[in-house]
Amino acid sequence: MQLSEIRIAGFGGQGVILSAIVLGKAASIYQGAFATMTQNFGPEARGGACSAQLVLSDSPVLYPYVTRPDILVVISQEAYNKFGPELKDGGTLIVEQDLVRVSHIKEGIKVFSIPATRFAEELGKRMVLNSVMVGFFTAITHLLTPEAVRDAVADSVPANFRELNLKAFEKGLEYGNGVLINSPELRGFEAAAVVEE
Amino acid sequence: MKADPRGVLTGVHFIDGDHACCEGALAAGARFAAGYPITPSTEVVERFASRVPTVGGTFIQMEDELAASIALQGAVWGGAKAFTVTSGPGFSLMMEHIGYAAMTETPCVFVNVQRGGPSTGLPTLPAQADMMQARWGSHGDYEVIALCPNSPQECFDLTIKAFNLAEEFRVPVMFMMDEVVGHMTEKVVIPAADEIEVVPRKHTHKSTKEYLPYQTNGNPVPEMAHAGEGYNFHVTGLTHDERGYPNMTPQTQDKLVRRLQSKVRAATDRIAMFEEEHLGDAEVAVVSYGITSRVAQRAVDLARQRGVKVGKLRLITAWPFPENKIKEVASRVKALVVPELNLGQMVREVERAAGGQAKTFAVSHAGGGVHDPQEILRVIEEANQCR
């Protein structure tokens, strides 16, 4: 895994920080790589802007912050407006499609959308939308193995919500794999992502 | 002595530096903390407050930092290993009692998760501007030990070390974290309890009749007794004799204060921990500590790629200042580059220890973020041009 800078952003309470913890744990504990996570949040318990920065690498991470993210995951319009312009040229944008309207996108940015909130609601709890996003992220980016992320999800959520979160993860993963298969223009990206591993 | 397994959360974790520091304290045997919440340090005691009752310990949220910093010393004299946690403004309030701990030789740990100052400054953002305060903040002549972790793993490992040094030398140990290290989440491996070495209290073997609390018997660090064990002793911040009674003569003052200083100073090389890389052929050495050492490492790597013969020296022990190491490195390079998140603190110590053997370059930063590695790289290249 090359050094990858990732930002996950949304509102407090959407599980932004937990998503980053799951992905960081998957990389550093279940996949033998290195991960450093830092976070920014306002004084509000929920509702304020919230973002997590995650740096993944095969070698120890020195600089802890994200400067230009390779991958931006946004779950709110405010987060998109604020962090969209930071995304690296040719980077990957992952959005919750019902919460974010993508506009003014730079050429070369690969955009992937998922109705994660709707999926989470269908599973019975809106709260697990972050696990849907984590599954989708896993499928789209190929940075982490589904096994590693699955273990990290199971390990990071309360026991009584474990099964629900794992279902949500599988839903996002499956949807992501479907998006890649059904998007001929994105197959090249998928192949490139696999080679990069 | 091995760690008490009840306090050791053996396993592989993905936690931040504040939580790792708390786990280090529990593993080291801390069973008491007193604190007053302040960003970005609160998470340390927040976790301690929820964890410590399970191992039979106590956390008290005091009315302020003055109270916290003296309550913990009461706990130590009652037999516990104890610490407190704070940041900038709270650290300022604790200065009086840091001096008290030094004077009464109370082994304890003060964790300072540094944020931008002066005053309330930048509560949620990093700085390394309390380094001189850690050394000189209380009045009078005294010595402390100060350690600087640069990762959550080190927040765990070095917190144990901090408690061990406090017991060995009977001094307050300053654990100088910063906001980035405190709030950064990374993998932290906590070993089994039987792999963790813990220094127990230097308890006296003397009988209650023979014991004199500040008698040294050839070793500069006296032995302790605890309240409630039947020993008569007196603990005071006044200049005291071997019995612990106030004795305010120049002779007693000279004997006491010189011992307080020399017990640490004489052990400087033994206490000094540092990490070095590429110093063998280096013409420029980057001296850094804490979070800045990680940013500096990137600058060193970039400079090496450009063919600059640069090495790194990371100070893990800031106080007592590892003078001999700096002197030795300065004798081999032409320049020392010192990046830190303040406007020039440890760089002056480096310059003093270098004693003119190498030119010293500061890379200052007022805090609120970390350096841009390019800025450190620029100064490395400038330093490489000198002489």
Side-chain angles (χ1 to χ4, degrees):
Chain A
M1 193 197 302
Q2 274 184 321
L3 186 124
S4 304
E5 297 189 345
I6 301 155
R7 184 187 292 280
I8 306 175
F11 284 126
Q14 284 181 320
V16 166
I17 305 296
L18 186 60
S19 305
I21 287 178
V22 166
L23 296 171
K25 216 183 240 187
S28 66
I29 297 182
Y30 296 105
Q31 208 172 300
F34 294 87
T36 299
M37 198 270 282
T38 53
Q39 46 187 297
N40 307 79
F41 46 82
E44 308 88 349
R46 52 184 67 79
C50 171
S51 106
Q53 312 178 59
L54 184 65
V55 184
L56 305 181
S57 178
D58 271 340
S59 51
V61 176
L62 300 173
Y63 192 78
Y65 291 126
V66 165
T67 43
R68 298 285 307 272
D70 302 284
I71 302 164
L72 174 64
V73 181
V74 283
I75 327 180
S76 78
Q77 189 64 41
E78 189 190 328
Y80 174 72
N81 296 345
K82 184 170 177 193
F83 297 113
E86 277 185 0
L87 192 55
K88 201 177 270 176
D89 295 339
T92 301
L93 175 66
I94 296 177
V95 300
E96 206 301 346
Q97 68 184 41
D98 295 336
L99 298 177
V100 182
R101 183 187 299 253
V102 175
S103 54
H104 311 298
I105 192 78
K106 278 182 287 184
E107 209 177 313
I109 302 278
K110 296 173 284 285
V111 185
F112 298 88
S113 310
I114 180 172
T117 311
R118 216 186 313 153
F119 286 153
E121 280 168 357
E122 281 166 18
L123 286 165
K125 250 202 168 14
R126 193 184 185 155
M127 211 172 70
V128 297
L129 93 105
N130 60 339
S131 290
V132 179
M133 293 302 285
V134 163
F136 190 59
F137 176 98
T138 308
I140 297 298
T141 65
H142 282 90
L143 281 172
L144 302 162
T145 67
E147 294 72 29
V149 184
R150 197 176 285 124
D151 287 348
V153 170
D155 187 30
S156 307
V157 299
N160 46 339
F161 289 110
R162 188 169 293 149
E163 207 180 318
L164 185 62
N165 276 283
L166 286 171
K167 268 191 204 155
F169 168 75
E170 298 302 338
K171 183 69 195 173
L173 184 72
E174 185 191 311
Y175 188 81
N177 286 331
V179 165
L180 290 181
I181 289 164
N182 296 323
S183 315
E185 75 279 8
L186 294 170
R187 282 205 193 127
F189 167 66
E190 182 189 15
V194 172
V195 169
E196 221 177 61
E197 275 181 53
Chain B
M1 191 176 123
K2 302 298 179 192
D4 173 1
R6 290 180 309 155
V8 183
L9 200 67
T10 303
V12 183
H13 308 271
F14 193 64
I15 52 176
D16 71 15
D18 280 357
H19 287 174
C21 170
C22 168
E23 291 304 330
L26 285 164
R31 294 295 178 264
F32 183 90
Y36 187 80
I38 186 167
T39 305
S41 72
T42 309
E43 292 92 328
V44 183
V45 281
E46 190 180 35
R47 188 178 178 112
F48 192 81
S50 71
R51 289 261 291 126
V52 82
T54 65
V55 297
T58 306
F59 168 73
I60 307 179
Q61 181 173 319
M62 301 300 292
E63 65 269 34
D64 59 27
E65 286 87 349
L66 279 93
S69 58
I70 201 68
L72 78 97
Q73 298 186 46
V76 171
W77 284 96
K81 287 194 181 179
F83 72 120
T84 189
V85 175
T86 193
S87 186
F91 199 50
S92 292
L93 290 174
M94 290 182 179
M95 284 302 138
E96 162 70 11
H97 292 147
I98 287 172
Y100 186 82
M103 186 59 144
T104 57
E105 300 178 71
T106 305
C108 55
V109 175
F110 288 80
V111 177
N112 178 2
V113 188
Q114 295 173 89
R115 66 190 220 182
S119 188
T120 10
L122 301 167
T124 61
L125 298 169
Q128 297 177 305
D130 307 345
M131 298 307 296
M132 286 293 157
Q133 186 186 24
R135 171 67 185 86
W136 300 107
S138 199
H139 55 278
D141 280 316
Y142 65 102
E143 286 278 339
V144 295
I145 295 172
L147 308 180
C148 303
N150 80 351
S151 67
Q153 181 68 55
E154 278 197 350
C155 287
F156 175 80
D157 297 338
L158 294 178
T159 298
I160 298 173
K161 185 81 187 169
F163 275 93
N164 287 347
L165 289 166
E167 295 297 337
E168 184 180 347
F169 292 95
R170 283 188 63 180
V171 287
V173 175
M174 307 296 126
F175 197 61
M176 304 299 283
M177 294 167 58
D178 56 71
E179 187 276 335
V180 185
V181 165
H183 281 166
M184 161 199 287
T185 302
E186 288 186 338
K187 182 170 86 169
V188 174
V189 180
I190 299 184
D194 62 10
E195 291 168 35
I196 298 173
E197 206 55 51
V198 164
V199 175
R201 179 78 23 98
K202 273 172 90 83
H203 197 279
T204 184
H205 297 288
K206 293 207 164 146
S207 70
T208 52
K209 290 216 166 55
E210 294 170 307
Y211 177 66
L212 289 176
Y214 292 98
Q215 192 175 44
T216 53
N217 297 323
N219 183 333
V221 185
E223 293 171 343
M224 272 183 95
H226 295 139
E229 294 172 337
Y231 291 90
N232 293 325
F233 59 88
H234 186 241
V235 181
T236 177
L238 288 169
T239 294
H240 45 268
D241 60 20
E242 291 186 334
R243 298 170 303 157
Y245 293 156
N247 185 331
M248 283 160 282
T249 64
Q251 293 76 15
T252 309
Q253 167 77 356
D254 185 81
K255 194 177 163 197
L256 174 60
V257 177
R258 282 188 194 280
R259 182 176 61 75
L260 294 181
Q261 196 183 62
S262 70
K263 70 175 177 179
V264 174
R265 256 191 211 183
T268 298
D269 289 340
R270 188 153 61 81
I271 299 169
M273 290 182 284
F274 43 79
E275 189 182 85
E276 49 189 306
E277 197 179 275
H278 303 313
L279 282 178
D281 68 342
E283 292 177 358
V284 176
V286 176
V287 183
S288 59
Y289 57 93
I291 185 59
T292 306
S293 65
R294 292 173 58 149
V295 183
Q297 173 87 51
R298 196 187 241 193
V300 167
D301 293 346
L302 289 169
R304 280 258 153 195
Q305 281 166 22
R306 294 191 186 182
V308 181
K309 285 184 176 160
V310 57
K312 89 162 187 202
L313 175 66
R314 170 163 83 95
L315 305 182
I316 299 171
T317 311
W319 304 112
F321 190 71
E323 236 168 276
N324 289 336
K325 184 65 195 174
I326 297 289
K327 214 173 276 176
E328 183 252 317
V329 171
S331 73
R332 295 192 278 126
V333 298
K334 59 183 179 184
L336 298 160
V337 173
V338 188
E340 50 185 341
L341 295 181
N342 58 54
L343 300 186
Q345 295 195 10
M346 299 306 280
V347 64
R348 299 201 175 127
E349 279 296 289
V350 172
E351 191 170 27
R352 184 184 60 78
Q357 297 181 95
K359 209 169 169 209
T360 307
F361 293 77
V363 193
S364 61
H365 186 303
V370 294
H371 289 80
D372 178 345
Q374 295 295 331
E375 176 60 14
I376 302 174
L377 177 64
R378 193 187 59 74
V379 180
I380 291 172
E381 291 188 319
E382 185 192 328
N384 194 39
Q385 300 303 317
C386 79
R387 225 186 299 164

